[in-house]
Amino acid sequence: PLVTTTEMFKKAYEGGYAIGAFNVNNMEIVQGIVDAAKEEQSPLILQVSAGARKYAKHIYLVKLVEAALEDSNLPIALHLDHGDSFEICKDCVDGGFTSVMIDASHHDFDENVKITKQVVEYAHAHGVVVEAELGRLAGVEDDVNVADKDARFTDPEQAAEFVALTGVDSLAIAIGTSHGAYKFKGDPYLDFDRLKKVGELLPNFPIVLHGASTVLPEFVAKCNEFGGNIPGAQGVPEDMLRKAATMSVCKINIDTDLRLAMTASIREYLAKNPSEFDPRKYLGPARDAIKGMVAHKIKNVLGSSHKL
Ligand code: G3H
Ligand code: 13P
Ligand code: ZN
Ligand code: NA
């Protein structure tokens, strides 16, 4: 059966590595990721956003992940990414997920605690684990000052209080990452001092890093070479992710790198083979591109190879 993240996070915390949480939206994405994890013998989190549920339908994604489980024999957790209400979290708990994220970080602290607590109570009663978020995910510009950081990034003392008040199983924090392909205007920067402080105040507690794609230059270049237009894209350097993984970060979220790998491959194929129109001809290589990228992440960045 699908597993929760409890055991994988415990081992990851102790072993100084992180589990990759990859966003899935269709069959080729699921297969590319799972084939890589199978080759690397790595535990895996497959996550589904509200947008993914809208695009592919809840039931199709659950069945694809169940097929992946049967095909791979890996410990796989099925996770809701950025649930924004109790209702969507309940839907996913009731609908076969083993982990849900309640993201009430746009509310004030007390309201975030209140909504998160409600989700924790329901999810735990059904054997499902919960991730929450505190702080605002935003890119850091070149000249960010201390006051800016304190306003946007997660306060370590508040994080400890939040965890104690809610009973949540893991926490996403803001230390400089952001979603998408344009994370930094100047040099990349993550607030490792803040991450360290969170780790000291919350010993043995798994931290989650959102917005953790690297925006690999080879895929950006390939998109732009074959008709794309994504100038100035920049992500989190892999050595920073590696460092975070050795610390309390146990879950690293990757979606943009999947999108770029897939799109670069499809653009190249269609540009070079203008008379082909069989979707398998371009979706096959796209799946292979995802597999290669994910295997690289698992082996060289997350450190979760052979950790079953
Ligand atoms: O958090 C953002 C993830 O990349 C999911 O994106 O909401 O477009 O599916 P999405
Ligand atoms: P990226 O956009 O950096 O891939 O982040 C994905 C994410 O955090 C999903 O929740
Ligand atoms: Zn996210
Ligand atoms: Na870790």
Side-chain angles (χ1 to χ4, degrees), residues 190-267:
L190 294 189
D191 193 340
F192 282 105
D193 290 342
R194 200 172 286 263
L195 177 60
K196 189 161 169 274
K197 207 163 286 170
V198 169
E200 285 161 9
L201 293 174
L202 285 167
N204 297 311
F205 186 83
I207 297 302
V208 179
L209 205 57
H210 281 247
S213 278
T214 295
V215 188
L216 293 154
E218 61 181 288
F219 297 128
V220 175
K222 196 177 271 191
C223 283
N224 288 333
E225 184 185 347
F226 294 105
N229 181 27
I230 39 178
Q234 192 181 188
V236 185
E238 292 188 331
D239 59 331
M240 289 191 187
L241 297 173
R242 187 70 231 114
K243 181 173 173 185
T246 65
M247 299 168 71
S248 57
V249 169
C250 292
K251 174 173 179 274
I252 290 190
N253 284 9
I254 297 174
D255 188 3
T256 298
D257 282 338
L258 295 166
R259 296 176 177 192
L260 288 170
M262 184 167 207
T263 300
S265 168
I266 292 172
R267 279 196 177 283

Side-chain angles (χ1 to χ4, degrees), residues 23 47 81-82 101 103 131 133 137 179 209-211 253:
N23 286 71
Q47 59 187 11
D81 191 26
H82 294 283
M101 176 189 193
D103 179 0
E131 171 186 330
E133 178 166 323
L137 242 60
H179 292 115
L209 205 57
H210 281 247
N253 284 9

Side-chain angles (χ1 to χ4, degrees), residues 74-88:
L74 292 172
I76 298 177
L78 176 54
H79 173 77
L80 169 66
D81 191 26
H82 294 283
D84 68 350
S85 66
F86 172 80
E87 286 70 30
I88 188 173

Side-chain angles (χ1 to χ4, degrees), residues 40-295:
E40 289 303 319
Q41 290 293 290
S42 168
L44 187 61
I45 300 168
L46 295 175
Q47 59 187 11
V48 165
S49 69
R53 289 173 86 238
K54 195 169 171 201
Y55 173 79
K57 284 193 186 173
H58 180 98
I59 186 71
Y60 284 83
L61 293 168
V62 170
K63 295 296 174 188
L64 280 173
V65 171
E66 284 173 1
L69 185 70
E70 205 171 309
D71 180 51
S72 70
N73 271 312
L74 292 172
I76 298 177
L78 176 54
H79 173 77
L80 169 66
D81 191 26
H82 294 283
D84 68 350
S85 66
F86 172 80
E87 286 70 30
I88 188 173
C89 291
K90 179 180 185 298
D91 244 34
C92 289
V93 169
D94 295 346
F97 284 42
T98 53
S99 175
V100 293
M101 176 189 193
I102 174 66
D103 179 0
S105 61
H106 46 288
H107 292 287
D108 67 30
F109 183 85
D110 291 343
E111 188 66 12
N112 191 352
V113 167
K114 188 177 150 200
I115 299 170
T116 300
K117 257 178 99 163
Q118 193 189 1
V119 172
V120 167
E121 195 177 315
Y122 188 81
H124 283 184
H126 293 80
V128 170
V129 293
V130 180
E131 171 186 330
E133 178 166 323
L134 189 64
R136 291 217 339 259
L137 242 60
V140 182
E141 313 209 350
D142 242 358
D143 54 352
V144 70
N145 58 41
V146 176
D148 277 347
K149 281 202 283 174
D150 282 340
R152 282 144 67 167
F153 291 178
T154 308
D155 175 60
E157 311 263 349
Q158 257 194 13
E161 192 189 346
F162 184 89
V163 169
L165 287 171
T166 58
V168 78
D169 302 283
S170 62
L171 185 69
I173 62 169
I175 55 167
T177 63
S178 59
H179 292 115
Y182 304 93
K183 301 188 191 297
F184 306 102
K185 289 237 173 81
D187 289 338
Y189 167 84
L190 294 189
D191 193 340
F192 282 105
D193 290 342
R194 200 172 286 263
L195 177 60
K196 189 161 169 274
K197 207 163 286 170
V198 169
E200 285 161 9
L201 293 174
L202 285 167
N204 297 311
F205 186 83
I207 297 302
V208 179
L209 205 57
H210 281 247
S213 278
T214 295
V215 188
L216 293 154
E218 61 181 288
F219 297 128
V220 175
K222 196 177 271 191
C223 283
N224 288 333
E225 184 185 347
F226 294 105
N229 181 27
I230 39 178
Q234 192 181 188
V236 185
E238 292 188 331
D239 59 331
M240 289 191 187
L241 297 173
R242 187 70 231 114
K243 181 173 173 185
T246 65
M247 299 168 71
S248 57
V249 169
C250 292
K251 174 173 179 274
I252 290 190
N253 284 9
I254 297 174
D255 188 3
T256 298
D257 282 338
L258 295 166
R259 296 176 177 192
L260 288 170
M262 184 167 207
T263 300
S265 168
I266 292 172
R267 279 196 177 283
E268 179 181 25
Y269 185 87
L270 292 177
K272 288 182 174 169
N273 303 274
S275 56
E276 285 290 352
F277 51 85
D278 178 344
R280 294 171 297 188
K281 290 277 174 58
Y282 54 86
L283 291 176
R287 179 173 58 195
D288 292 343
I290 286 175
K291 181 183 175 186
M293 187 278 289
V294 172

